Amino acid sequence: LGEVSSPGAYDITQPITVLHALAMAGGYRRETADLTSVILISRDAQGKPFGRRLDLKRILDVGDMSSAILVKPYDVIFIPNTYIQDVRLFMEQYITTVRDIISLANLVTGN
């Protein structure tokens, strides 16, 4: 889920790495994905969900696949927005809201 080219459910029959799962989803969106805070949600032995934060950027930068985490069937991977992308989205929503309020005020006052 998140900042990947093709988010969705993918059928896996054996454990794969998070990077392999990311490749299955068409890769990450380079302009907006924060690879330093990837969330992997798995289930423990009792079936309760737990999350882990992964730094895929470090794995990609160093190239050390020995530290790659395995994904099991039914795991969920979330690639979040970068902080800058979150700020950009907030500003777009803020400006749109202010613009709508001004338009409404102008409509009400006849300006």
Side-chain angles (χ1 to χ4, degrees):
L1 301 172
E3 296 302 300
V4 294
S5 296
S6 299
Y10 291 88
D11 192 24
I12 61 172
T13 56
Q14 62 187 17
I16 60 174
T17 68
V18 174
L19 290 175
H20 287 116
L22 186 57
M24 289 175 71
Y28 63 95
R29 295 181 184 146
R30 294 188 185 279
E31 299 296 318
T32 57
D34 180 2
L35 294 183
T36 64
S37 296
V38 173
I39 304 298
L40 173 63
I41 302 170
S42 299
R43 294 194 178 271
D44 65 15
Q46 290 76 36
K48 294 187 180 194
F50 69 96
R52 287 186 267 185
R53 183 180 160 272
L54 308 174
D55 186 348
L56 294 187
K57 185 175 180 340
R58 194 172 125 236
I59 294 172
L60 290 171
D61 288 348
V62 175
D64 181 12
M65 291 301 291
S66 66
S67 63
I69 302 292
L70 292 178
V71 177
K72 300 176 298 298
Y74 305 106
D75 282 358
V76 175
I77 302 166
F78 176 71
I79 311 292
N81 284 331
T82 61
Y83 176 75
I84 294 298
Q85 184 63 21
D86 284 342
V87 170
R88 178 178 290 139
L89 178 61
F90 169 78
M91 291 304 297
E92 288 172 0
Q93 292 172 344
Y94 177 78
I95 290 168
T96 300
T97 301
V98 169
R99 189 178 305 139
D100 291 346
I101 291 170
I102 290 170
S103 294
L104 181 62
N106 288 338
L107 183 65
V108 169
T109 61
N111 291 335

